[in-house]
């Protein structure tokens, strides 16, 4: 393998060390809706589903009653350990990269990436998807937008904090050079241009979950860009983060409210 590709893999993998517990406890789970659509397009209950970049396994376990078996693929040590605790007779996990799953050819009815495809080399990953996916099978990349829809003051505070994060990444090249992230807006064109799929489309939907100040803050802390600065150069973000936490606590004022996560699913049918 090209050493530069291997270097990118390792950087992206290591970006998710140290906060698997926060991620697992606060990130949204895979909603029912995309599972329903994928099952409808498949025209049957999936036998085997493969979840690439499964993180702590939230998107993997969501399939438990919707397929006969699902395997989550995750390269990051901490995330894999968190996910592997969710194993049972129908759910298993494998520590591997998305483009080197080690799975058999024509293995899966469905391959999904939940909030993870942008961390993968699209050409290499889609080639592996094509190899392991059965004819007529479905690949889907499911992503949600930050922040969730709740109160505009909280949403604005989130946007301002991550504007600060992006500025720090530009100012401190060692932070930006710590990863490579592919453009989510190109997911559908990458699926189309791969030539592996006879039909492609994008589906937009929302899912509602309960949220309080603690969860909103911890969801923010589960984002890798912020975590990278906290781990490597915490003094650069401490003041902005403290102000953000105070703002969110004031906005929620001890209340729990409904928050809408806005999703985009890009899929291809082989």
């Amino acid at each position: 393998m090209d050493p530069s590709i291997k270097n990118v893999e390792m950087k992206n993998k290591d970006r998710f060390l140290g906060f698997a517990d926060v991620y697992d406890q606060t990130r949204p789970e895979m909603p029912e809706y995309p599972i329903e659509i994928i099952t409808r397009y498949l025209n049957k209950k999936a036998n085997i589903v493969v979840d690439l970049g499964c993180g702590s396994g939230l998107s993997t376990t969501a399939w438990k009653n919707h397929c006969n078996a699902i395997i989550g693929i995750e390269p990051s040590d901490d995330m894999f350990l968190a996910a592997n605790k969710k194993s049972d007779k129908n759910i298993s996990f494998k520590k591997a990269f998305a483009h080197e799953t080690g799975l058999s050819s024509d293995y899966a009815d469905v391959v999904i990436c939940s909030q993870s495809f942008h961390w993968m080399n699209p050409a290499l990953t889609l080639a592996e998807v094509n190899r392991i996916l059965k004819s007529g099978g479905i690949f889907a990349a499911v992503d949600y937008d930050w922040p969730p829809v709740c109160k505009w003051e909280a949403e604005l505070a989130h946007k301002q904090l991550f504007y600060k994060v992006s500025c720090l990444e530009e100012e401190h090249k060692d932070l930006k050079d710590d990863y490579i992230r592919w453009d989510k807006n190109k997911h559908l064109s990458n699926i189309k241009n791969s030539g592996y799929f006879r039909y492609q489309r994008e589906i937009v939907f929302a899912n509602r979950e309960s949220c309080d100040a603690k969860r909103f803050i911890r969801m923010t802390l589960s984002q890798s860009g912020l975590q990278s600065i906290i781990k490597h150069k915490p003094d650069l973000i401490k003041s902005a983060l403290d102000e953000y936490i105070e703002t969110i606590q004031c906005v929620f004022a001890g209340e729990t409210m409904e928050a809408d996560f806005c999703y985009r699913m890009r899929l291809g049918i082989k």
Side-chain angles (χ1 to χ4, degrees), residues 4-86:
S4 63
I5 294 175
K6 192 67 177 177
N7 189 41
V8 168
E9 289 177 347
M10 299 306 294
K11 285 183 177 181
N12 285 357
K13 175 179 76 73
D14 291 344
R15 192 170 172 81
F16 290 89
L17 292 173
F19 59 101
D21 56 339
V22 174
Y23 187 105
D24 190 57
Q25 293 164 14
T26 59
R27 286 289 185 111
E29 297 182 3
M30 170 80 79
E32 291 280 330
Y33 182 75
I35 297 174
E36 291 173 2
I37 295 301
I38 291 169
T39 301
R40 185 188 307 171
Y41 277 179
L42 196 61
N43 204 30
K44 64 176 182 178
K45 181 179 180 179
N47 182 29
I48 297 177
V49 175
V50 175
D51 184 7
L52 299 179
C54 69
S56 65
L58 292 172
S59 53
T60 316
T61 56
W63 281 87
K64 182 173 182 178
N65 298 317
H66 302 280
C67 63
N68 294 325
I70 179 163
I71 178 168
I73 305 294
E74 174 57 44
S76 175
D77 295 338
D78 288 3
M79 291 293 185
F80 174 77
L81 289 173
N84 207 37
K85 294 176 183 177
K86 299 178 173 71

Coordinates of all heavy atoms in Angstrom, one line a residue, residues 4-86:
S4 N 1.7 7.0 1.9 CA 0.9 8.2 2.2 C -0.6 7.8 2.6 O -1.2 8.4 3.5 CB 0.9 9.1 1.0 OG 0.2 8.5 -0.1
I5 N -1.1 6.8 1.9 CA -2.5 6.3 2.3 C -2.5 5.7 3.7 O -3.4 6.0 4.5 CB -3.0 5.3 1.2 CG1 -3.1 6.0 -0.1 CG2 -4.3 4.6 1.7 CD1 -3.5 5.0 -1.2
K6 N -1.5 4.9 4.0 CA -1.4 4.3 5.3 C -1.3 5.4 6.4 O -1.9 5.2 7.5 CB -0.2 3.3 5.3 CG -0.2 2.4 6.6 CD -1.3 1.4 6.5 CE -1.3 0.5 7.7 NZ -2.4 -0.5 7.7
N7 N -0.5 6.4 6.1 CA -0.3 7.5 7.1 C -1.7 8.2 7.4 O -2.0 8.5 8.5 CB 0.7 8.5 6.5 CG 1.1 9.5 7.6 OD1 1.3 9.2 8.7 ND2 1.2 10.8 7.1
V8 N -2.4 8.4 6.3 CA -3.8 9.1 6.5 C -4.7 8.2 7.3 O -5.4 8.7 8.2 CB -4.4 9.3 5.1 CG1 -5.9 9.7 5.3 CG2 -3.7 10.4 4.4
E9 N -4.7 6.9 7.1 CA -5.5 5.9 7.8 C -5.2 6.0 9.3 O -6.1 6.1 10.2 CB -5.2 4.5 7.4 CG -5.7 4.1 6.0 CD -5.3 2.7 5.7 OE1 -4.4 2.2 6.4 OE2 -5.8 2.1 4.7
M10 N -3.9 6.0 9.6 CA -3.5 6.0 11.0 C -3.8 7.3 11.7 O -4.3 7.3 12.9 CB -2.0 5.8 11.1 CG -1.5 4.4 10.6 SD -2.4 3.0 11.3 CE -1.9 3.1 13.0
K11 N -3.7 8.5 11.0 CA -4.0 9.8 11.6 C -5.5 9.8 11.9 O -5.9 10.3 13.0 CB -3.6 10.9 10.6 CG -2.1 11.2 10.6 CD -1.8 12.4 9.7 CE -0.4 12.7 9.8 NZ -0.1 13.9 8.9
N12 N -6.3 9.4 10.9 CA -7.8 9.5 11.1 C -8.2 8.5 12.2 O -9.1 8.8 13.0 CB -8.5 9.2 9.8 CG -8.5 10.3 8.8 OD1 -7.9 11.4 9.2 ND2 -9.0 10.2 7.7
K13 N -7.6 7.3 12.3 CA -7.9 6.3 13.3 C -7.6 6.9 14.7 O -8.5 6.8 15.6 CB -7.2 5.1 13.1 CG -7.3 4.0 14.2 CD -6.5 2.7 13.8 CE -5.0 2.9 14.1 NZ -4.7 2.9 15.5
D14 N -6.5 7.5 14.9 CA -6.0 8.0 16.2 C -6.8 9.2 16.6 O -6.8 9.6 17.8 CB -4.5 8.2 16.1 CG -3.7 7.0 16.0 OD1 -4.2 5.9 16.3 OD2 -2.5 7.1 15.7
R15 N -7.4 9.9 15.7 CA -8.2 11.1 16.0 C -9.4 10.7 17.0 O -9.9 11.6 17.6 CB -8.7 11.7 14.7 CG -9.3 13.1 14.9 CD -9.6 13.7 13.5 NE -10.3 14.9 13.5 CZ -9.7 16.1 13.8 NH1 -8.5 16.2 14.0 NH2 -10.5 17.2 13.8
F16 N -9.8 9.5 17.0 CA -10.9 9.1 17.8 C -10.5 8.4 19.1 O -11.3 7.7 19.8 CB -11.9 8.2 17.0 CG -12.6 9.0 15.9 CD1 -12.0 9.1 14.7 CD2 -13.8 9.6 16.2 CE1 -12.6 9.8 13.7 CE2 -14.4 10.4 15.2 CZ -13.8 10.5 13.9
L17 N -9.3 8.6 19.6 CA -8.9 8.0 20.8 C -9.2 9.0 22.0 O -9.1 10.2 21.9 CB -7.3 7.8 20.8 CG -6.8 6.8 19.9 CD1 -5.3 6.8 19.9 CD2 -7.3 5.4 20.3
G18 N -9.7 8.3 23.1 CA -9.8 9.1 24.3 C -11.2 9.6 24.7 O -11.4 10.2 25.8
F19 N -12.2 9.5 23.8 CA -13.5 10.0 24.2 C -14.6 9.1 23.7 O -15.8 9.5 23.4 CB -13.7 11.4 23.6 CG -13.6 11.5 22.1 CD1 -14.7 11.6 21.3 CD2 -12.4 11.6 21.5 CE1 -14.6 11.7 19.9 CE2 -12.2 11.7 20.1 CZ -13.4 11.8 19.3
A20 N -14.4 7.8 23.7 CA -15.4 6.8 23.2 C -16.6 6.8 24.2 O -17.7 6.6 23.7 CB -14.8 5.4 23.1
D21 N -16.4 7.0 25.5 CA -17.5 7.0 26.4 C -18.4 8.1 26.2 O -19.6 8.0 26.2 CB -16.9 7.0 27.8 CG -16.0 8.2 28.1 OD1 -15.5 8.7 27.2 OD2 -15.9 8.5 29.3
V22 N -17.9 9.3 26.0 CA -18.7 10.5 25.7 C -19.5 10.3 24.4 O -20.7 10.6 24.3 CB -17.8 11.8 25.6 CG1 -18.7 13.0 25.2 CG2 -17.1 12.1 26.9
Y23 N -18.8 9.8 23.4 CA -19.4 9.5 22.1 C -20.6 8.6 22.2 O -21.7 8.8 21.7 CB -18.3 8.9 21.2 CG -18.7 8.8 19.7 CD1 -18.3 9.6 18.7 CD2 -19.5 7.7 19.3 CE1 -18.6 9.4 17.4 CE2 -19.9 7.5 18.0 CZ -19.4 8.4 17.1 OH -19.8 8.2 15.7
D24 N -20.3 7.5 22.9 CA -21.3 6.4 23.1 C -22.6 6.9 23.8 O -23.7 6.4 23.6 CB -20.7 5.2 23.7 CG -21.6 4.0 23.7 OD1 -22.0 3.6 22.6 OD2 -21.9 3.4 24.8
Q25 N -22.4 7.7 24.8 CA -23.5 8.1 25.7 C -24.3 9.2 25.2 O -25.4 9.4 25.7 CB -22.9 8.5 27.1 CG -22.3 7.3 27.8 CD -21.4 7.8 29.0 OE1 -21.4 9.0 29.4 NE2 -20.6 6.9 29.5
T26 N -23.8 10.0 24.2 CA -24.5 11.2 23.8 C -24.9 11.3 22.3 O -25.8 12.0 21.9 CB -23.7 12.4 24.1 OG1 -22.5 12.4 23.5 CG2 -23.5 12.5 25.6
R27 N -24.1 10.6 21.4 CA -24.4 10.7 20.0 C -25.8 10.0 19.7 O -26.2 9.1 20.3 CB -23.4 9.9 19.2 CG -22.0 10.7 19.1 CD -22.1 11.9 18.2 NE -20.8 12.5 18.0 CZ -20.2 12.5 16.8 NH1 -20.7 12.0 15.8 NH2 -19.0 13.1 16.7
P28 N -26.5 10.5 18.7 CA -27.8 9.9 18.3 C -27.6 8.5 17.7 O -26.6 8.3 17.0 CB -28.3 10.9 17.2 CG -27.1 11.6 16.7 CD -26.2 11.7 17.8
E29 N -28.5 7.7 18.0 CA -28.5 6.3 17.4 C -29.0 6.4 15.9 O -29.6 7.4 15.5 CB -29.3 5.4 18.2 CG -28.8 5.2 19.6 CD -29.6 4.2 20.4 OE1 -30.6 3.6 19.8 OE2 -29.4 4.0 21.6
M30 N -28.8 5.3 15.2 CA -29.3 5.3 13.8 C -30.9 5.2 13.9 O -31.4 4.4 14.6 CB -28.8 4.0 13.1 CG -29.6 3.7 11.8 SD -29.0 4.7 10.4 CE -27.5 3.8 10.0
P31 N -31.6 6.2 13.3 CA -33.0 6.2 13.4 C -33.6 5.0 12.6 O -33.0 4.3 11.8 CB -33.4 7.5 12.7 CG -32.2 8.3 12.6 CD -31.1 7.3 12.6
E32 N -34.9 4.7 12.9 CA -35.6 3.6 12.2 C -35.8 3.9 10.7 O -35.8 3.0 9.8 CB -37.0 3.4 12.8 CG -36.9 2.8 14.2 CD -36.7 1.3 14.2 OE1 -37.1 0.7 13.2 OE2 -36.1 0.8 15.1
Y33 N -36.0 5.2 10.3 CA -36.4 5.6 9.0 C -35.4 5.1 7.9 O -35.9 4.4 6.9 CB -36.6 7.1 8.9 CG -37.0 7.5 7.5 CD1 -38.4 7.3 7.1 CD2 -36.1 8.1 6.6 CE1 -38.8 7.7 5.8 CE2 -36.5 8.5 5.3 CZ -37.8 8.3 4.9 OH -38.3 8.7 3.7
P34 N -34.1 5.3 8.0 CA -33.2 4.8 6.9 C -33.2 3.3 6.9 O -33.1 2.7 5.8 CB -31.9 5.4 7.3 CG -32.0 5.7 8.8 CD -33.4 6.1 9.0
I35 N -33.4 2.6 8.0 CA -33.4 1.2 8.0 C -34.7 0.7 7.2 O -34.6 -0.2 6.4 CB -33.4 0.6 9.4 CG1 -32.1 1.0 10.1 CG2 -33.6 -0.9 9.4 CD1 -32.0 0.6 11.6
E36 N -35.8 1.4 7.4 CA -37.0 1.1 6.7 C -36.9 1.3 5.2 O -37.3 0.4 4.4 CB -38.2 1.9 7.3 CG -38.6 1.6 8.7 CD -39.6 2.6 9.2 OE1 -40.0 3.5 8.4 OE2 -40.0 2.5 10.4
I37 N -36.3 2.4 4.8 CA -36.1 2.7 3.4 C -35.2 1.7 2.7 O -35.5 1.1 1.6 CB -35.6 4.1 3.2 CG1 -36.6 5.1 3.7 CG2 -35.2 4.3 1.7 CD1 -37.9 5.0 2.9
I38 N -34.1 1.4 3.4 CA -33.1 0.4 2.8 C -33.8 -1.0 2.7 O -33.6 -1.7 1.7 CB -31.9 0.3 3.7 CG1 -31.1 1.6 3.6 CG2 -31.0 -0.9 3.3 CD1 -29.9 1.7 4.6
T39 N -34.6 -1.4 3.7 CA -35.3 -2.7 3.7 C -36.3 -2.7 2.5 O -36.5 -3.7 1.8 CB -36.0 -3.0 5.0 OG1 -35.0 -3.0 6.0 CG2 -36.7 -4.3 5.0
R40 N -37.0 -1.5 2.3 CA -38.0 -1.4 1.3 C -37.3 -1.6 -0.1 O -37.8 -2.3 -1.0 CB -38.7 -0.1 1.4 CG -39.9 0.0 0.3 CD -40.4 1.5 0.4 NE -40.8 1.9 1.7 CZ -41.2 3.1 2.0 NH1 -41.1 4.1 1.1 NH2 -41.5 3.4 3.2
Y41 N -36.2 -0.9 -0.3 CA -35.5 -0.9 -1.5 C -34.9 -2.3 -1.8 O -34.8 -2.8 -2.9 CB -34.3 0.1 -1.5 CG -34.7 1.5 -1.9 CD1 -33.8 2.5 -2.0 CD2 -36.0 1.8 -2.2 CE1 -34.1 3.8 -2.3 CE2 -36.4 3.1 -2.6 CZ -35.4 4.1 -2.6 OH -35.8 5.4 -3.0
L42 N -34.5 -3.0 -0.7 CA -33.9 -4.3 -0.8 C -35.0 -5.3 -1.1 O -34.8 -6.4 -1.7 CB -33.2 -4.7 0.5 CG -32.3 -5.9 0.5 CD1 -31.1 -5.7 -0.5 CD2 -31.7 -6.2 1.9
N43 N -36.2 -5.0 -0.7 CA -37.4 -5.9 -1.0 C -37.4 -7.2 -0.2 O -38.0 -8.1 -0.6 CB -37.6 -6.1 -2.5 CG -39.0 -6.5 -2.8 OD1 -40.0 -6.0 -2.2 ND2 -39.2 -7.3 -3.8
K44 N -36.7 -7.2 0.9 CA -36.6 -8.3 1.8 C -35.9 -7.9 3.1 O -35.2 -6.9 3.1 CB -35.9 -9.5 1.1 CG -34.4 -9.2 0.9 CD -33.8 -10.5 0.3 CE -32.3 -10.2 0.0 NZ -31.6 -11.4 -0.5
K45 N -36.0 -8.8 4.1 CA -35.2 -8.6 5.3 C -33.7 -8.9 5.0 O -33.4 -10.0 4.4 CB -35.7 -9.5 6.4 CG -34.9 -9.3 7.7 CD -35.5 -10.2 8.8 CE -34.7 -10.1 10.1 NZ -35.3 -10.9 11.2
A46 N -32.8 -8.0 5.3 CA -31.4 -8.3 5.0 C -30.9 -9.5 5.8 O -31.2 -9.6 7.0 CB -30.6 -7.0 5.4
N47 N -30.1 -10.3 5.1 CA -29.5 -11.4 5.8 C -28.3 -10.8 6.6 O -28.2 -10.9 7.8 CB -29.0 -12.4 4.8 CG -28.4 -13.6 5.5 OD1 -28.7 -13.9 6.7 ND2 -27.5 -14.3 4.8
I48 N -27.3 -10.2 5.9 CA -26.1 -9.7 6.5 C -25.9 -8.2 6.2 O -26.0 -7.8 5.0 CB -24.8 -10.5 6.1 CG1 -24.9 -11.9 6.6 CG2 -23.6 -9.8 6.7 CD1 -23.8 -12.8 6.1
V49 N -25.7 -7.4 7.3 CA -25.4 -6.0 7.1 C -24.0 -5.7 7.6 O -23.6 -6.3 8.7 CB -26.4 -5.2 7.9 CG1 -26.0 -3.7 7.9 CG2 -27.8 -5.4 7.4
V50 N -23.2 -4.9 6.9 CA -21.9 -4.5 7.4 C -21.9 -3.0 7.6 O -22.3 -2.2 6.8 CB -20.8 -4.9 6.3 CG1 -19.5 -4.3 6.7 CG2 -20.8 -6.4 6.1
D51 N -21.5 -2.6 8.8 CA -21.5 -1.3 9.2 C -20.0 -0.8 9.3 O -19.3 -1.1 10.2 CB -22.1 -1.2 10.6 CG -22.2 0.3 11.1 OD1 -21.9 1.2 10.4 OD2 -22.6 0.4 12.3
L52 N -19.6 0.0 8.3 CA -18.2 0.5 8.2 C -18.0 1.7 9.0 O -18.8 2.7 8.9 CB -17.9 0.8 6.7 CG -18.0 -0.4 5.7 CD1 -17.6 0.1 4.3 CD2 -17.1 -1.5 6.1
G53 N -16.9 1.8 9.8 CA -16.6 2.9 10.6 C -17.7 3.0 11.7 O -18.3 4.1 11.9
C54 N -18.0 1.9 12.4 CA -19.2 1.8 13.2 C -19.0 2.5 14.5 O -19.9 2.6 15.3 CB -19.5 0.3 13.5 SG -18.3 -0.5 14.5
G55 N -17.8 3.1 14.8 CA -17.6 3.8 16.1 C -17.9 2.9 17.3 O -17.4 1.8 17.4
S56 N -18.7 3.4 18.2 CA -18.9 2.7 19.4 C -20.1 1.7 19.2 O -20.5 1.1 20.2 CB -19.3 3.6 20.6 OG -20.5 4.3 20.3
G57 N -20.6 1.5 18.0 CA -21.6 0.5 17.7 C -23.0 1.0 17.8 O -23.9 0.2 17.7
L58 N -23.2 2.3 17.9 CA -24.6 2.8 18.0 C -25.4 2.5 16.7 O -26.6 2.1 16.8 CB -24.6 4.3 18.2 CG -24.1 4.8 19.6 CD1 -23.9 6.3 19.6 CD2 -25.0 4.3 20.7
S59 N -24.7 2.7 15.6 CA -25.4 2.4 14.3 C -25.5 0.9 14.0 O -26.3 0.5 13.2 CB -24.7 3.2 13.2 OG -23.3 2.8 13.2
T60 N -24.7 0.1 14.6 CA -24.7 -1.3 14.4 C -25.9 -2.0 15.1 O -26.7 -2.7 14.6 CB -23.4 -1.9 14.9 OG1 -22.3 -1.1 14.5 CG2 -23.2 -3.3 14.4
T61 N -26.0 -1.6 16.4 CA -27.1 -2.3 17.2 C -28.5 -1.9 16.8 O -29.4 -2.6 17.0 CB -26.9 -1.9 18.7 OG1 -26.9 -0.5 18.9 CG2 -25.6 -2.5 19.2
A62 N -28.6 -0.7 16.1 CA -29.9 -0.3 15.6 C -30.5 -1.3 14.6 O -31.7 -1.4 14.4 CB -29.8 1.1 14.9
W63 N -29.7 -2.1 14.0 CA -30.1 -3.1 13.0 C -30.5 -4.4 13.6 O -30.9 -5.4 12.9 CB -29.0 -3.4 12.0 CG -28.9 -2.3 10.9 CD1 -28.2 -1.1 11.0 CD2 -29.5 -2.3 9.7 NE1 -28.3 -0.4 9.9 CE2 -29.2 -1.1 9.0 CE3 -30.4 -3.2 9.0 CZ2 -29.6 -0.8 7.7 CZ3 -30.8 -2.9 7.7 CH2 -30.4 -1.7 7.1
K64 N -30.4 -4.6 14.9 CA -30.5 -5.9 15.6 C -31.8 -6.7 15.2 O -31.7 -7.9 14.9 CB -30.6 -5.7 17.1 CG -30.6 -7.0 17.9 CD -30.5 -6.7 19.4 CE -30.5 -8.0 20.1 NZ -30.3 -7.8 21.6
N65 N -32.9 -6.0 15.1 CA -34.2 -6.7 14.8 C -34.6 -6.6 13.3 O -35.7 -6.9 12.9 CB -35.3 -6.3 15.7 CG -35.0 -6.6 17.1 OD1 -34.6 -7.6 17.5 ND2 -35.3 -5.6 18.0
H66 N -33.6 -6.1 12.5 CA -33.9 -5.8 11.1 C -33.1 -6.6 10.1 O -33.2 -6.4 8.9 CB -33.8 -4.3 10.8 CG -34.6 -3.4 11.7 ND1 -36.0 -3.2 11.4 CD2 -34.3 -2.8 12.8 CE1 -36.5 -2.4 12.4 NE2 -35.5 -2.1 13.2
C67 N -32.3 -7.5 10.6 CA -31.5 -8.3 9.8 C -31.1 -9.6 10.5 O -31.3 -9.7 11.8 CB -30.2 -7.6 9.3 SG -29.1 -7.2 10.6
N68 N -30.6 -10.6 9.9 CA -30.2 -11.8 10.5 C -28.8 -11.7 11.2 O -28.6 -12.4 12.2 CB -30.2 -13.0 9.5 CG -31.6 -13.3 9.0 OD1 -32.6 -13.1 9.7 ND2 -31.7 -13.6 7.7
A69 N -28.0 -10.9 10.7 CA -26.6 -10.7 11.3 C -26.1 -9.4 10.9 O -26.3 -9.0 9.7 CB -25.7 -11.9 11.0
I70 N -25.3 -8.7 11.8 CA -24.6 -7.5 11.4 C -23.3 -7.5 12.0 O -23.1 -8.0 13.1 CB -25.4 -6.2 11.8 CG1 -24.6 -5.0 11.4 CG2 -25.7 -6.3 13.3 CD1 -25.5 -3.7 11.5
I71 N -22.3 -7.0 11.2 CA -20.9 -6.9 11.7 C -20.5 -5.5 11.5 O -20.6 -4.9 10.5 CB -20.0 -7.9 10.9 CG1 -18.5 -7.7 11.4 CG2 -20.1 -7.7 9.4 CD1 -17.6 -8.8 10.9
G72 N -19.9 -5.0 12.6 CA -19.4 -3.6 12.6 C -17.9 -3.6 12.4 O -17.2 -4.4 13.0
I73 N -17.4 -2.7 11.5 CA -16.0 -2.6 11.2 C -15.5 -1.3 11.8 O -16.0 -0.2 11.4 CB -15.8 -2.7 9.7 CG1 -16.4 -3.9 9.1 CG2 -14.3 -2.6 9.4 CD1 -15.8 -5.2 9.5
E74 N -14.5 -1.4 12.6 CA -14.0 -0.1 13.3 C -12.5 -0.3 13.5 O -12.0 -1.2 14.1 CB -14.7 0.1 14.6 CG -14.2 1.3 15.4 CD -14.2 2.6 14.7 OE1 -15.2 2.9 14.0 OE2 -13.2 3.3 14.7
P75 N -11.7 0.7 13.0 CA -10.2 0.6 13.2 C -9.7 1.2 14.5 O -8.6 0.9 15.0 CB -9.7 1.4 12.0 CG -10.7 2.5 11.8 CD -12.0 1.8 12.1
S76 N -10.4 2.2 15.1 CA -10.0 2.9 16.3 C -10.0 2.0 17.5 O -11.1 1.4 17.8 CB -10.8 4.2 16.5 OG -10.4 4.8 17.7
D77 N -8.9 1.9 18.3 CA -8.9 1.0 19.4 C -10.0 1.3 20.5 O -10.7 0.4 20.9 CB -7.5 1.1 20.1 CG -6.4 0.7 19.3 OD1 -6.6 -0.1 18.3 OD2 -5.2 1.1 19.5
D78 N -10.1 2.5 20.9 CA -11.1 2.9 21.9 C -12.5 2.6 21.5 O -13.4 2.1 22.2 CB -11.0 4.3 22.3 CG -9.7 4.6 23.2 OD1 -8.9 3.6 23.3 OD2 -9.5 5.7 23.6
M79 N -12.8 3.0 20.2 CA -14.2 2.8 19.7 C -14.5 1.4 19.5 O -15.6 0.9 19.9 CB -14.3 3.6 18.4 CG -14.3 5.1 18.5 SD -15.8 5.7 19.4 CE -15.5 7.5 19.2
F80 N -13.5 0.6 19.1 CA -13.7 -0.8 18.9 C -14.0 -1.5 20.2 O -14.9 -2.4 20.3 CB -12.5 -1.5 18.2 CG -12.6 -3.0 18.2 CD1 -13.4 -3.6 17.2 CD2 -11.9 -3.8 19.1 CE1 -13.6 -5.0 17.2 CE2 -12.1 -5.2 19.0 CZ -12.9 -5.8 18.1
L81 N -13.3 -1.2 21.3 CA -13.5 -1.7 22.6 C -14.9 -1.4 23.1 O -15.6 -2.3 23.7 CB -12.5 -1.3 23.6 CG -11.0 -1.8 23.4 CD1 -10.1 -1.1 24.3 CD2 -11.0 -3.3 23.6
A82 N -15.4 -0.2 22.9 CA -16.7 0.2 23.3 C -17.8 -0.5 22.5 O -18.8 -1.0 23.1 CB -16.9 1.7 23.1
A83 N -17.5 -0.7 21.2 CA -18.5 -1.4 20.4 C -18.6 -2.9 20.7 O -19.7 -3.5 20.8 CB -18.1 -1.2 18.9
N84 N -17.4 -3.5 20.9 CA -17.4 -4.9 21.2 C -18.1 -5.4 22.4 O -18.6 -6.5 22.5 CB -15.9 -5.4 21.3 CG -15.7 -6.8 20.8 OD1 -16.4 -7.3 19.9 ND2 -14.8 -7.5 21.5
K85 N -18.4 -4.5 23.3 CA -19.2 -4.8 24.5 C -20.6 -5.0 24.1 O -21.4 -5.6 24.9 CB -19.1 -3.6 25.5 CG -17.7 -3.5 26.1 CD -17.6 -2.3 27.0 CE -16.2 -2.0 27.6 NZ -16.2 -0.8 28.5
K86 N -21.0 -4.6 22.9 CA -22.4 -4.7 22.5 C -22.6 -6.0 21.7 O -23.7 -6.2 21.2 CB -22.8 -3.5 21.6 CG -22.7 -2.2 22.4 CD -23.1 -1.0 21.5 CE -23.2 0.3 22.2 NZ -21.9 0.8 22.7

